[in-house]
Amino acid sequence: MKAEATRTQIVEAADRLFYRQGYEHTSFAAIAEAVHISRGNFYYHFKSKDDILRAVIAARLEDRRRMLTRWEAEEADPAARIRRFVEIVAANRADIQNYGCPVGTMTTELAKLGHPALDEAGGLFTLFRTWLREQFTRLGHREQADALAMHVLAFSQGVATLAHAFKDEDFIHREVQRMHHWLSRYSAGAQGTAPVDGPRAGT
Amino acid sequence: MKAEATRTQIVEAADRLFYRQGYEHTSFAAIAEAVHISRGNFYYHFKSKDDILRAVIAARLEDRRRMLTRWEAEEADPAARIRRFVEIVAANRADIQNYGCPVGTMTTELAKLGHPALDEAGGLFTLFRTWLREQFTRLGHREQADALAMHVLAFSQGVATLAHAFKDEDFIHREVQRMHHWLSRYSAGAQGTAPVDGPRAGT
DNA sequence: AGGATTTTAGGACAGTCGTCCTACGCGGTG
DNA sequence: CACCGCGTAGGACGACTGTCCTAAAATCCT
């Protein structure tokens, strides 16, 4: 049963390398070296490089799913949950400045490669989108819940891309603050009743 | 002097291919085929693949610079110029849905590759940032001009990334509208005096 | 301890990559 | 017409890629 442990190690190393160097640019040999494993032996655990990619995507999906479930347990208020999501870019600022958003960069790369696993990678976006939509719905914004969810996602992608390009930490905090302020318009809680006229322009 | 014409053709084909397939994924052979040129003959015009990349980046810089200069000629109002920038994502929606933002995706890829031309590619972001900052300064937001410029850039990157991932055209138009509304807070023109309390959260 | 099974190492493979070299074709000038 | 030089074609090169194969090693079970 040692195989499973090795498999996990491979997936973890590949995850890190795909994130830092990109999928195509990460060679089989590089992963092998990171795990201290023979190159040819890979095919005992995976039948192709695509297979490793799929395992990495599945692992990320599982990980993010667990994260969202944990948030739901820790935060009863949907508004607090959304704030938690917004805080991701601040909490992970170091990685984001160095390598960008794991979801956005991988999706973009796989799209350019015309890789068949693109849809699976897109599932990560859908996971967040669905979860955010659910939180906005609970806040009473049923009609516009999906549009609001997409707006929050766009915020995180925009901030991640620019923080990566400019290595600017202050920028991250400014935009996170901006987003929190915008969110307060849609949080029923301490902010009073929610607006009924739909999403408005604002920071 | 036929060499220069061929060189231009190569740069244009490489530009398109780098945008659609990514830099690393675009082989020398692919560019050669697109230009109907022999593979080995490339090195008469460029001394390496990096060299082509640099030429592509320089061409894009020149092109975008010209675009901004044209806008300055066509629009006297700085607010109108900024709106023009925001409209890019709507005007180029087809390409953006299919291939993402040319600037953002290239910068991200070169960063992952650890490519030395990353800084030159980042110059495209800086070009827009500086130009936007200048427009906001003219609108009277001297202190926060750079932060506002970055916010507009983040908007465009976020929208481009998600529109690319979800192939959602309605989303683009919704977010562009949102951004126009947000911009109206900072446009001195028809909107009354500009706010003095700095950027606020909002769409 | 011994045999069966799981896991590993390391090299062979065909293909592709960026790069370089050399010889050929075409144009205008003397 | 002969010539010279710019532009081109096409192949050779070494390095690297993902993949596959086979033999050895490690592990587990009785």
Side-chain angles (χ1 to χ4, degrees):
Chain A
M1 289 306 132
K2 188 158 178 289
E4 188 138 342
T6 306
R7 203 191 127 99
T8 303
Q9 271 192 311
I10 294 176
V11 170
E12 282 172 358
D15 191 341
R16 227 183 48 241
L17 288 170
F18 289 170
Y19 177 38
R20 301 190 174 193
Q21 321 188 4
Y23 169 70
E24 188 177 31
H25 190 60
T26 299
S27 74
F28 246 63
I31 308 176
E33 191 185 15
V35 192
H36 303 105
I37 254 188
S38 168
R39 211 170 64 261
N41 178 30
F42 258 96
Y43 288 75
Y44 179 78
H45 303 278
F46 300 92
K47 68 177 201 294
S48 71
K49 199 185 175 187
D50 289 18
D51 229 46
I52 299 185
L53 174 62
R54 274 177 233 271
V56 167
I57 294 174
R60 288 192 188 180
L61 261 172
E62 189 53 38
D63 179 71
R64 306 311 195 266
R65 237 192 284 268
R66 240 193 295 271
M67 181 185 72
L68 295 180
T69 304
R70 185 159 45 81
W71 288 358
E72 289 179 10
E74 293 174 7
E75 311 276 2
D77 181 15
R81 294 174 183 172
I82 299 171
R83 284 196 293 272
R84 200 74 174 252
F85 180 87
V86 168
E87 283 294 333
I88 290 185
V89 296
N92 300 349
R93 59 188 178 277
D95 278 346
I96 287 177
Q97 280 174 217
N98 285 125
Y99 317 108
C101 168
V103 180
T105 56
M106 168 165 283
T107 303
T108 300
E109 181 184 2
L110 296 184
K112 300 233 181 217
L113 301 186
H115 197 286
L118 171 61
D119 286 345
E120 291 162 62
L124 277 158
F125 269 136
T126 303
L127 172 68
F128 289 128
R129 178 182 186 171
T130 306
W131 186 84
L132 284 168
R133 185 205 302 150
E134 170 71 13
Q135 307 311 317
F136 278 112
T137 301
R138 292 198 192 171
L139 279 178
H141 308 285
R142 195 149 34 82
E143 293 294 326
Q144 359 151 15
D146 191 60
L148 293 170
M150 286 291 280
H151 182 70
V152 173
L153 273 183
F155 149 82
S156 73
Q157 288 304 304
V159 170
T161 303
L162 284 193
H164 182 33
F166 287 113
K167 308 244 177 287
D168 189 336
E169 176 164 345
D170 289 343
F171 163 73
I172 297 180
H173 292 116
R174 277 201 316 269
E175 291 295 320
V176 166
Q177 274 315 106
R178 217 190 277 267
M179 184 45 94
H180 278 314
H181 191 280
W182 175 81
L183 272 175
S184 67
R185 300 176 123 249
Y186 299 96
S187 306
Q191 201 66 17
T193 59
V196 295
D197 57 343
R200 277 299 168 119
T203 143
Chain B
M1 291 306 130
K2 188 158 179 288
E4 187 138 341
T6 307
R7 203 191 128 97
T8 303
Q9 271 192 311
I10 293 175
V11 172
E12 282 171 359
D15 192 341
R16 226 184 46 241
L17 287 170
F18 290 170
Y19 177 38
R20 301 190 173 193
Q21 320 186 4
Y23 169 69
E24 188 177 31
H25 191 60
T26 298
S27 75
F28 246 62
I31 308 176
E33 192 186 14
V35 192
H36 301 104
I37 253 188
S38 168
R39 212 170 62 261
N41 179 30
F42 258 96
Y43 288 76
Y44 180 79
H45 304 277
F46 300 92
K47 70 176 198 296
S48 70
K49 198 185 175 187
D50 289 17
D51 230 46
I52 299 185
L53 175 63
R54 273 177 233 272
V56 166
I57 294 174
R60 287 192 189 179
L61 261 172
E62 189 52 38
D63 179 72
R64 304 314 194 266
R65 237 191 284 270
R66 240 193 295 269
M67 181 185 73
L68 295 179
T69 304
R70 185 159 45 81
W71 287 358
E72 288 178 10
E74 293 174 7
E75 311 276 2
D77 180 15
R81 294 174 183 171
I82 299 171
R83 284 196 293 272
R84 202 67 176 254
F85 180 88
V86 168
E87 283 293 333
I88 291 183
V89 296
N92 299 348
R93 59 189 179 277
D95 278 345
I96 287 177
Q97 281 175 219
N98 285 125
Y99 317 108
C101 168
V103 180
T105 57
M106 169 165 283
T107 302
T108 300
E109 180 183 3
L110 295 185
K112 302 233 179 217
L113 300 186
H115 198 285
L118 171 62
D119 285 345
E120 291 163 61
L124 278 157
F125 269 136
T126 303
L127 173 67
F128 289 128
R129 179 183 186 170
T130 307
W131 186 83
L132 285 168
R133 184 205 302 150
E134 170 71 13
Q135 308 312 316
F136 277 113
T137 300
R138 294 197 190 169
L139 280 178
H141 308 284
R142 193 149 36 81
E143 294 292 326
Q144 0 150 16
D146 191 61
L148 293 170
M150 286 291 280
H151 182 70
V152 173
L153 273 184
F155 149 82
S156 74
Q157 288 303 305
V159 170
T161 303
L162 284 194
H164 182 32
F166 287 114
K167 309 242 176 288
D168 188 336
E169 176 164 346
D170 288 344
F171 163 73
I172 297 180
H173 291 116
R174 277 201 317 268
E175 290 296 320
V176 166
Q177 275 314 107
R178 217 191 276 268
M179 183 46 92
H180 278 314
H181 191 279
W182 174 81
L183 273 174
S184 68
R185 299 176 123 250
Y186 299 95
S187 307
Q191 201 66 16
T193 60
V196 295
D197 57 345
R200 278 299 168 119
T203 138

